[in-house]
Amino acid sequence: MCGITGYIGDSQAAPVLLGALKKLEYRGYDSAGIAVLDEGTITVRKAKGPLSALEEKLADAVITGSLGIGHTRWATHGEPSDINSHPHTDVSGQIAVVHNGIIENYLSLKEWLQTREVVFRSETDTEVIAHLINFYYTGEKASGGMPKPGFGEPPLLRAVQNALERLEGSYALAIAVADYPDRIIAARKDSPLVIGLGQGENLIASDIPALLPHTRDVIYMEEGELAVLYRDHVELINAQGGRVIRAPSRVEWDAEAAEKGGFAHFMLKEIHDQAKALSDTLRPRIKNGGIVFEEFDFENFSFEACAGEAKRIVITACGTAWHAAMVAKYAFEHFARIPVEVDIASEYRYRNPVPGEKDLVIIISQSGETADTLAAMRLAKKGGNRILAITNVVGSTLAREADLTLFTWAGPEIAVASTKAFTTQLMCLYLLALKLARVRSRVTEGAYRNYIDELARLPLLAEELLSKQKLIQRFASRQFNKTKVFFMGRQFDYAISLESALKLKEISYTHSEAFAAGELKHGPIALVDKNTLVVAIATQTALFDKIISNIKEISARGGASLVITWEDNPFGPVADEVFTIPKTLDPFSPMLAIIPAQLFAYYCSIQRGNNPDKPRNLAKSVTVE
Ligand code: AGP
């Protein structure tokens, strides 16, 4: 998804903007550009392709100026090309805009502007914003409201406000205007934007890693807000036009946490981060042997009361987060004996769901900015449900709009393919399931404490498992050319099969699917031949025999098989390969069983010559539908 940034300060803007854009690369992009303002002129440089293509263009000319905006574009309207790349300018070239989001009514705005002789250069929705601002700004100037820096509401701000009022859809915007060399204007609606407060410089960006080389003091912009960034201060204006004072938040995690730390790729680093991340998610919530959610001690939402009363849990999310929800269904039903409904957010939002008065609605999202997930949350809220969010991003829209938020504390996840966010989401969900089980007296105090002790062992077991990564690497080097890879399992293992298949298809571009092992004979077996690899996830001991039969059926048709299972297992004689994981309780297996599958996807991707951190066509944060 697009990344935007802006800089105003004493340094040269171009290198700062390029540095910030590099930190936003993880979001996925197909082109990039910057606009720098100097002595009343805005210079724009943009290029299709990686940032290095833009850097090459910039190498030809020295671009001076200490105010600028920058963008990495992930094409939605118009193909990836130099022309469609941002920044976009108005007809005069005096107003430059970078945008993340989608302007849904851009076609009608474009037609309206064209009737006023505006000539469009690109196929993007964003270009209308630059022209609209120009339209209102020219009007303001013509009516006598000439710019008076530092004096009341300048015509520029009014022009931006008027333009924004015409926009339907989502946007995070940074705007530079030649008449105003002392400020950048930023605005947000349904797309994230964070302000970085530096010493004699201020910045704006879609995400924190872009700000960290300059500052740890940040302000998260709220829905509908405008910000005016000067060199030495920042003004915030809410949707009603009122001034807002908001204390900055301090970013506590290290810039290094967002770097590769010696690993070849962010994805590999993040797979290895999981042991620590699981621990970071678990530890703060364990007090005197029990589970305590200190974040839930709010007057209007007692988790205990809500959980105790809940007749049903509804969980909705997208992609990997939806797979975490699938695992949670088994965990909540197993431990707390409460019915759980799981829905993909994009389905939930359009299927006219029936909210139950006593539903507990859980929304899961690593980024907290996924458009479908936010829409599902707002729908559930409108239906009168209380919302419990699980997210990794402090200050995200989800965290700010939910009634309660459980943070996953996984640290920044940069690789597009989610790994540590998934396992830490699971940890949060298991903590909730066990707490709920205890609140509803579904487990004894003794059993509850034993379960918690076992959860606390998982980070160590994950570490042990990760030390065997070479075995998976070797296996991947033999199997990466398979044209079809299927994952199968039962119950918890079915949910992990879904996530395993997604990982493999995302980064290795291998056709992979998951199915419940019991479904093998109902269709998927027709596809099994000698080009097929079937990976069975087998951690539910009571169902081992069933999986043995499934594997025999696959071998009989020439398919190769790998089983991911406990150390003590019966699969050696039937499967081609067995990869073992250290033993924990069967229902806790998902937090471990997914790790070999993540590694397998990673190494297949490497073998195929792909960049696992930036898979084609995918974006880290899907902030549009
Ligand atoms: C995960 O590997 C994917 N990149 C994707 O499915 C992701 O989980 C999904 O887009 C949801 O993102 P979120 O957790 O940020 O809401």
Side-chain angles (χ1 to χ4, degrees):
M1 209 63 16
C2 307
I4 75 171
T5 188
Y7 173 81
I8 180 164
D10 296 328
S11 304
Q12 287 299 320
V16 174
L17 295 171
L18 279 173
L21 293 180
K22 280 191 182 138
K23 302 285 181 191
L24 297 174
E25 277 188 294
Y26 73 89
R27 299 166 70 83
Y29 71 106
D30 44 53
S31 52
I34 60 168
V36 176
L37 169 55
D38 194 28
E39 298 188 357
T41 302
I42 293 181
T43 305
V44 177
R45 289 285 181 277
K46 38 197 199 177
K48 179 184 164 186
L51 272 175
S52 52
L54 176 63
E55 281 173 316
E56 266 172 41
K57 277 199 172 176
L58 291 171
D60 294 345
V62 182
I63 296 187
T64 55
S66 55
L67 181 160
I69 55 179
H71 191 265
T72 45
R73 174 172 188 252
W74 189 79
T76 56
H77 296 68
E79 58 172 13
S81 69
D82 288 3
I83 290 198
N84 287 335
S85 310
H86 301 211
H88 290 286
T89 54
D90 69 320
V91 274
S92 70
Q94 299 288 290
I95 298 172
V97 173
V98 289
H99 168 222
N100 171 28
I102 285 184
I103 305 305
E104 287 161 5
N105 60 337
Y106 86 102
L107 270 180
S108 59
L109 290 171
K110 189 170 178 175
E111 282 160 15
W112 181 80
L113 285 159
Q114 280 165 332
T115 63
R116 279 154 184 80
E117 313 293 296
V118 173
V119 178
F120 279 78
R121 285 167 295 227
S122 76
E123 302 159 286
T124 65
D125 51 341
T126 303
E127 194 180 336
V128 298
I129 304 173
H131 294 306
L132 264 185
I133 296 173
N134 170 277
F135 173 81
Y136 287 110
Y137 183 54
T138 314
E140 289 283 349
K141 284 207 293 189
S143 68
M146 290 302 289
K148 294 173 192 156
F151 183 78
E153 296 294 343
L156 172 64
L157 200 54
R158 282 198 300 269
V160 171
Q161 283 165 327
N162 287 336
L164 295 185
E165 265 172 34
R166 304 273 313 261
L167 304 181
E168 286 166 21
S170 57
Y171 51 78
L173 290 171
I175 305 158
V177 179
D179 281 347
Y180 289 84
D182 64 339
R183 69 196 70 177
I184 293 173
I185 296 196
R188 85 154 269 178
K189 179 174 171 269
D190 289 334
S191 284
L193 211 42
V194 195
I195 297 167
L197 304 172
Q199 296 291 325
E201 59 182 10
N202 288 308
L203 300 98
I204 188 103
S206 302
D207 201 359
I208 290 171
L211 305 173
L212 284 181
H214 300 265
T215 181
R216 288 170 167 275
D217 295 322
V218 302
I219 294 178
Y220 299 100
M221 284 183 68
E222 299 273 354
E223 274 307 284
E225 278 182 353
L226 272 173
V228 188
L229 281 78
Y230 301 87
R231 276 178 176 71
D232 53 358
H233 73 287
V234 170
E235 286 172 8
L236 275 179
I237 299 151
N238 64 21
Q240 293 70 43
R243 301 277 154 176
V244 178
I245 308 289
R246 181 168 315 124
S249 312
R250 185 97 182 137
V251 178
E252 298 297 349
W253 41 271
D254 274 343
E256 292 73 54
E259 305 291 344
K260 286 186 212 155
F263 286 92
H265 294 96
F266 281 115
M267 185 177 175
L268 190 58
K269 172 188 177 276
E270 288 159 9
I271 291 172
H272 279 265
D273 279 349
Q274 289 179 109
K276 178 171 184 300
L278 282 170
S279 173
D280 290 347
T281 306
L282 173 82
R283 295 278 164 218
R285 277 122 188 180
I286 306 300
K287 302 260 149 62
N288 303 322
I291 298 164
V292 179
F293 296 115
E294 281 178 345
E295 50 270 80
F296 288 179
D297 289 335
F298 298 131
E299 216 174 297
N300 297 321
F301 192 119
S302 148
F303 174 70
E304 273 81 353
C306 184
E309 280 177 15
K311 295 270 176 287
R312 180 175 72 151
I313 292 178
V314 176
I315 317 180
T316 180
C318 299
T320 287
W322 173 64
H323 298 152
M326 290 291 288
V327 173
K329 174 180 169 64
Y330 295 107
F332 279 113
E333 293 187 345
H334 177 83
F335 290 111
R337 306 298 301 147
I338 182 167
V340 178
E341 188 180 297
V342 172
D343 216 341
I344 295 169
S346 56
E347 291 293 308
Y348 181 87
R349 67 183 287 193
Y350 293 119
R351 78 165 160 82
N352 197 10
V354 185
E357 208 186 304
K358 301 219 163 134
D359 285 351
L360 172 62
V361 175
I362 301 179
I363 309 279
I364 312 172
S365 170
Q366 186 284 131
S367 61
E369 302 292 351
T370 301
D372 283 321
T373 307
L374 292 178
M377 171 193 63
R378 288 170 187 153
L379 183 65
K381 249 189 151 172
K382 211 165 140 201
N385 289 132
R386 298 283 186 79
I387 308 295
L388 195 166
I390 296 180
T391 182
N392 195 33
V393 180
V394 178
S396 61
T397 306
L398 178 60
R400 284 184 289 104
E401 291 189 20
D403 295 293
L404 283 178
T405 302
L406 217 48
F407 289 109
T408 42
W409 303 131
E413 191 180 67
I414 307 292
V416 168
S418 192
T419 52
K420 61 179 178 173
F422 176 68
T423 39
T424 53
Q425 283 162 0
L426 293 185
M427 183 58 92
C428 285
L429 289 159
Y430 275 93
L431 288 169
L432 285 170
L434 290 175
K435 182 78 182 178
L436 199 56
R438 188 66 202 119
V439 169
R440 296 162 73 91
S441 305
R442 298 292 181 182
V443 289
T444 62
E445 184 64 19
Y448 170 67
R449 284 171 183 273
N450 288 341
Y451 285 138
I452 294 168
D453 287 347
E454 189 58 23
L455 275 188
R457 286 181 65 235
L458 291 181
L460 268 181
L461 300 184
E463 197 77 68
E464 192 182 324
L465 182 51
L466 284 160
S467 70
K468 299 200 297 182
Q469 76 168 29
K470 280 239 158 343
L471 297 177
I472 291 288
Q473 184 176 6
R474 249 177 259 143
F475 182 71
S477 68
R478 294 197 299 273
Q479 300 287 344
F480 73 95
N481 264 336
K482 281 279 181 305
T483 49
K484 289 171 281 183
V485 179
F486 298 130
F487 292 84
M488 66 172 182
R490 291 164 190 261
Q491 302 174 358
F492 289 98
D493 295 334
Y494 168 48
I496 290 305
S497 299
L498 288 166
E499 173 59 6
S500 305
L502 178 70
K503 283 289 88 77
L504 188 65
K505 73 176 76 147
E506 275 187 302
I507 58 170
S508 79
Y509 317 144
T510 307
H511 180 194
S512 57
E513 298 298 335
F515 51 87
E519 282 290 289
L520 182 64
K521 288 206 227 11
H522 298 284
I525 200 163
L527 293 169
V528 176
D529 58 22
K530 63 178 179 9
N531 293 318
T532 315
L533 168 67
V534 180
V535 181
I537 317 284
T539 64
Q540 303 307 299
T541 315
L543 300 171
F544 274 179
D545 287 349
K546 309 272 174 204
I547 295 289
I548 289 178
S549 305
N550 292 143
I551 292 169
K552 284 183 177 163
E553 285 151 10
I554 285 151
S555 308
R557 282 150 188 91
S561 58
L562 164 72
V563 186
I564 295 174
T565 184
W566 304 126
E567 276 148 6
D568 185 13
N569 72 79
F571 298 106
V574 282
D576 295 312
E577 296 267 352
V578 176
F579 183 85
T580 62
I581 53 180
K583 183 76 177 107
T584 178
L585 300 174
D586 287 5
F588 290 167
S589 66
M591 283 170 278
L592 298 178
I594 189 57
I595 294 175
Q598 294 167 341
L599 286 166
F600 179 63
Y602 172 80
Y603 284 115
C604 285
S605 169
I606 299 291
Q607 288 284 350
R608 287 174 159 240
N610 303 341
N611 178 349
D613 283 345
K614 291 181 207 150
R616 68 186 181 199
N617 306 337
L618 294 179
K620 181 66 183 165
S621 180
V622 185
T623 54
V624 293
E625 261 194 279

